[in-house]
Amino acid sequence: MKVYMEQGILQENARQAEENRALFGKTLVVNLIGSPGCGKTTLLEKTLAALGKEFRMAVIEGDIYTTKDAQRIEACGVPVVQVNTAGGCHLSAEITARAAADLDLADLDILFIENVGNLVCPAEFDLGEDCKAAVLSVVEGDDKPAKYPLLFREAGVVVLNKCDLLPYTNFNMDSALADLQGLNEKAPVLQLSAAREEGLEPWYAWLRRAAAEKKA
Ligand code: MG
Ligand code: ZN
């Protein structure tokens, strides 16, 4: 009987992630991780519309079931591959490699991977991306960075979304920012509202810089 231990799974994943990194070449790959409903797909829709003339972009959509998010991305006119994990709560490097095989990577400046909505295990699985983007909406609560530290430690950028709703929540921004700073001094924290298209410029500037660094 073969028993796979978690350690073995992560080692195999790390090996495949290295292969993916080679495969991705000069394409900037951003792995979006956040809870269901935090606004990952909305952030992507706005980004694809705003930067469509500057960059060749594509999206891998990870969901447990349905093609609902992929349909929204397809409407933006960019290549999209939907991955259904059929119950799986995160994307792996292997499933990412299979999805990426359907894309013309040499023809892309930025590949976004929208991970399965979950603050926990997606952070454990390296997909070969350049950067994890942690997305947290303020309606989820200011305690989430401290409660789910791995994601926020690993993130290259943190998006605090739905900031237009701050007056209707008890989200303590000072407390959240202090926790984020304690976990990760390097990642910029961007306060914005994707749905309202407020505060998106620093996010676009971050993407432009990251894409240019990858090309260099
Ligand atoms: Mg989504
Ligand atoms: Zn999982």
Side-chain angles (χ1 to χ4, degrees), residues 88-91 118 120-122 125:
C89 46
H90 58 267
L91 295 180
N118 178 350
V120 190
C121 47
F125 286 80

PDB file of all heavy atoms in Angstrom, residues 88-91 118 120-122 125, ligand 2:
ATOM      1  N   GLY A  88     -11.304  19.818  -4.697  1.00  0.00           N
ATOM      2  CA  GLY A  88      -9.984  20.230  -4.206  1.00  0.00           C
ATOM      3  C   GLY A  88      -9.989  21.701  -3.836  1.00  0.00           C
ATOM      4  O   GLY A  88     -10.540  22.525  -4.548  1.00  0.00           O
ATOM      5  N   CYS A  89      -9.336  22.020  -2.723  1.00  0.00           N
ATOM      6  CA  CYS A  89      -9.462  23.360  -2.159  1.00  0.00           C
ATOM      7  C   CYS A  89      -8.289  24.269  -2.513  1.00  0.00           C
ATOM      8  O   CYS A  89      -8.157  25.359  -1.979  1.00  0.00           O
ATOM      9  CB  CYS A  89      -9.614  23.255  -0.652  1.00  0.00           C
ATOM     10  SG  CYS A  89      -8.444  22.114   0.081  1.00  0.00           S
ATOM     11  N   HIS A  90      -7.421  23.835  -3.445  1.00  0.00           N
ATOM     12  CA  HIS A  90      -6.294  24.662  -3.877  1.00  0.00           C
ATOM     13  C   HIS A  90      -5.831  24.186  -5.248  1.00  0.00           C
ATOM     14  O   HIS A  90      -6.166  23.076  -5.661  1.00  0.00           O
ATOM     15  CB  HIS A  90      -5.128  24.549  -2.890  1.00  0.00           C
ATOM     16  CG  HIS A  90      -4.658  23.142  -2.728  1.00  0.00           C
ATOM     17  ND1 HIS A  90      -5.126  22.311  -1.747  1.00  0.00           N
ATOM     18  CD2 HIS A  90      -3.794  22.398  -3.460  1.00  0.00           C
ATOM     19  CE1 HIS A  90      -4.559  21.122  -1.865  1.00  0.00           C
ATOM     20  NE2 HIS A  90      -3.759  21.140  -2.900  1.00  0.00           N
ATOM     21  N   LEU A  91      -5.056  25.003  -5.932  1.00  0.00           N
ATOM     22  CA  LEU A  91      -4.402  24.567  -7.166  1.00  0.00           C
ATOM     23  C   LEU A  91      -3.031  24.015  -6.826  1.00  0.00           C
ATOM     24  O   LEU A  91      -2.397  24.451  -5.878  1.00  0.00           O
ATOM     25  CB  LEU A  91      -4.251  25.738  -8.144  1.00  0.00           C
ATOM     26  CG  LEU A  91      -5.545  26.344  -8.692  1.00  0.00           C
ATOM     27  CD1 LEU A  91      -5.209  27.486  -9.651  1.00  0.00           C
ATOM     28  CD2 LEU A  91      -6.393  25.295  -9.386  1.00  0.00           C
ATOM     29  N   ASN A 118      -9.859  30.567  -0.793  1.00  0.00           N
ATOM     30  CA  ASN A 118      -9.435  29.857   0.414  1.00  0.00           C
ATOM     31  C   ASN A 118      -8.193  30.586   0.944  1.00  0.00           C
ATOM     32  O   ASN A 118      -7.265  30.856   0.195  1.00  0.00           O
ATOM     33  CB  ASN A 118      -9.092  28.420  -0.017  1.00  0.00           C
ATOM     34  CG  ASN A 118      -8.592  27.526   1.099  1.00  0.00           C
ATOM     35  OD1 ASN A 118      -8.299  27.974   2.202  1.00  0.00           O
ATOM     36  ND2 ASN A 118      -8.480  26.252   0.798  1.00  0.00           N
ATOM     37  N   VAL A 120      -6.218  29.374   3.278  1.00  0.00           N
ATOM     38  CA  VAL A 120      -5.321  28.434   3.963  1.00  0.00           C
ATOM     39  C   VAL A 120      -4.347  27.756   2.992  1.00  0.00           C
ATOM     40  O   VAL A 120      -3.271  28.290   2.716  1.00  0.00           O
ATOM     41  CB  VAL A 120      -6.125  27.400   4.780  1.00  0.00           C
ATOM     42  CG1 VAL A 120      -5.201  26.597   5.686  1.00  0.00           C
ATOM     43  CG2 VAL A 120      -7.185  28.091   5.623  1.00  0.00           C
ATOM     44  N   CYS A 121      -4.710  26.608   2.429  1.00  0.00           N
ATOM     45  CA  CYS A 121      -3.708  25.812   1.721  1.00  0.00           C
ATOM     46  C   CYS A 121      -3.204  26.377   0.385  1.00  0.00           C
ATOM     47  O   CYS A 121      -2.086  26.025  -0.007  1.00  0.00           O
ATOM     48  CB  CYS A 121      -4.137  24.364   1.576  1.00  0.00           C
ATOM     49  SG  CYS A 121      -5.810  24.181   1.021  1.00  0.00           S
ATOM     50  N   PRO A 122      -3.950  27.226  -0.335  1.00  0.00           N
ATOM     51  CA  PRO A 122      -3.327  27.750  -1.562  1.00  0.00           C
ATOM     52  C   PRO A 122      -1.964  28.405  -1.297  1.00  0.00           C
ATOM     53  O   PRO A 122      -1.081  28.373  -2.154  1.00  0.00           O
ATOM     54  CB  PRO A 122      -4.349  28.768  -2.076  1.00  0.00           C
ATOM     55  CG  PRO A 122      -5.650  28.234  -1.601  1.00  0.00           C
ATOM     56  CD  PRO A 122      -5.349  27.684  -0.215  1.00  0.00           C
ATOM     57  N   PHE A 125       1.074  25.907  -1.615  1.00  0.00           N
ATOM     58  CA  PHE A 125       1.424  25.272  -2.882  1.00  0.00           C
ATOM     59  C   PHE A 125       2.014  26.281  -3.851  1.00  0.00           C
ATOM     60  O   PHE A 125       1.312  27.128  -4.394  1.00  0.00           O
ATOM     61  CB  PHE A 125       0.197  24.576  -3.490  1.00  0.00           C
ATOM     62  CG  PHE A 125      -0.165  23.315  -2.765  1.00  0.00           C
ATOM     63  CD1 PHE A 125      -0.880  23.356  -1.579  1.00  0.00           C
ATOM     64  CD2 PHE A 125       0.264  22.076  -3.253  1.00  0.00           C
ATOM     65  CE1 PHE A 125      -1.182  22.188  -0.886  1.00  0.00           C
ATOM     66  CE2 PHE A 125      -0.036  20.910  -2.572  1.00  0.00           C
ATOM     67  CZ  PHE A 125      -0.763  20.966  -1.383  1.00  0.00           C
TER      68      PHE A 125
HETATM   69 ZN    ZN B   2      -6.368  22.778  -0.253  1.00  0.00          ZN
END
